[in-house]
Amino acid sequence: MMPMKELLECKHPTAWIEFEKGMIDEVELARKFFKDGRSFDLEGLKNCMKRGYSYIEGVEELLHALKQNCYEIHAFTNYPIWYKMIEDKLKISRYLSWTFCSCSSGKRKPDLNFYLEVLNLLKVNPANCIFIDDRLRNVEAAVEVGIIGLHFKNAHLLRQDLSSKGIDILEDKIQEQSS
């Protein structure tokens, strides 16, 4: 184990970003992760990360409700190919499409070109999109290109924010119709 401060001082300044952008693979990441070239337990890192993945309280229910209400949802994430570990564990694709991952596009948030690429590929007006992120800078970038941006703090507040934007989510719409 290494304290975060020490890790940040010892790691290569661009290796992780290159990995997120799909510019290097796992083997190259392992080779250059540390500035001094020392080896480390890549599989241990992956296993640690995988164990850490879980739904934030209330988020899975919110995703389910949005899906039931026929909203189109896409992942727009700065993540390497390891996003597949998240999918294997949490089965997020039940609710959204892994459409915009940095490892596939070669771009990362908050690069405005990444947001513009999303709009172009979806063929939508930015005012008809809602971007949600836990990093304020990423939300600000979305707003810069005309997308409605919401800063995620927790699922309850996100429901309120969505409602204020006209996204009223009926719980278990199918069950209500059959009652």
Side-chain angles (χ1 to χ4, degrees):
M1 291 280 287
M2 176 184 286
M4 182 59 89
K5 185 175 189 267
E6 184 182 342
L7 173 65
L8 293 175
E9 290 169 1
C10 295
K11 75 177 189 64
H12 186 280
T14 61
W16 184 258
I17 291 170
E18 291 169 10
F19 185 47
E20 279 187 341
K21 288 182 166 185
M23 298 165 64
I24 63 173
D25 61 14
E26 280 184 13
V27 173
E28 182 69 5
L29 175 71
R31 190 187 68 72
K32 69 188 274 189
F33 189 81
F34 286 105
K35 286 188 254 187
D36 61 10
R38 75 181 89 161
S39 63
F40 73 103
D41 182 4
L42 181 68
E43 288 305 312
L45 174 62
K46 288 171 65 175
N47 289 333
C48 180
M49 291 177 76
K50 188 172 184 173
R51 280 192 309 273
Y53 293 128
S54 64
Y55 282 101
I56 294 170
E57 183 180 336
V59 168
E60 186 173 17
E61 296 79 7
L62 177 55
L63 287 169
H64 178 77
L66 288 165
K67 181 78 170 179
Q68 290 298 310
N69 283 266
C70 300
Y71 287 101
E72 185 177 329
I73 309 171
H74 297 269
F76 182 17
T77 181
N78 290 348
Y79 223 75
I81 195 71
W82 292 351
Y83 78 86
K84 292 177 180 179
M85 291 189 311
I86 303 169
E87 175 59 30
D88 289 346
K89 183 172 181 184
L90 302 179
K91 308 294 186 234
I92 294 174
S93 62
R94 290 177 291 176
Y95 310 114
L96 57 79
S97 171
W98 288 98
T99 317
F100 305 106
C101 295
S102 61
C103 63
S104 301
S105 71
K107 296 181 181 77
R108 294 177 75 245
K109 301 175 290 184
D111 178 349
L112 295 182
N113 288 321
F114 196 9
Y115 294 79
L116 294 171
E117 183 176 300
V118 167
L119 293 170
N120 184 50
L121 290 170
L122 292 177
K123 295 178 179 17
V124 293
N125 181 321
N128 294 332
C129 290
I130 297 177
F131 174 83
I132 303 159
D133 202 290
D134 62 339
R135 293 187 181 206
L136 187 55
R137 177 62 195 111
N138 293 339
V139 174
E140 292 167 347
V143 171
E144 284 181 54
V145 300
I147 298 171
I148 299 165
L150 299 177
H151 187 203
F152 179 85
K153 296 173 191 79
N154 62 53
H156 176 73
L157 291 174
L158 179 56
R159 280 180 181 270
Q160 291 177 351
D161 290 344
L162 288 169
S163 181
S164 76
K165 301 296 180 196
I167 308 294
D168 290 317
I169 305 158
L170 299 174
E171 294 292 332
D172 295 315
K173 186 175 167 182
I174 294 170
Q175 286 181 351
E176 289 175 7
Q177 291 174 348
S178 64
S179 299

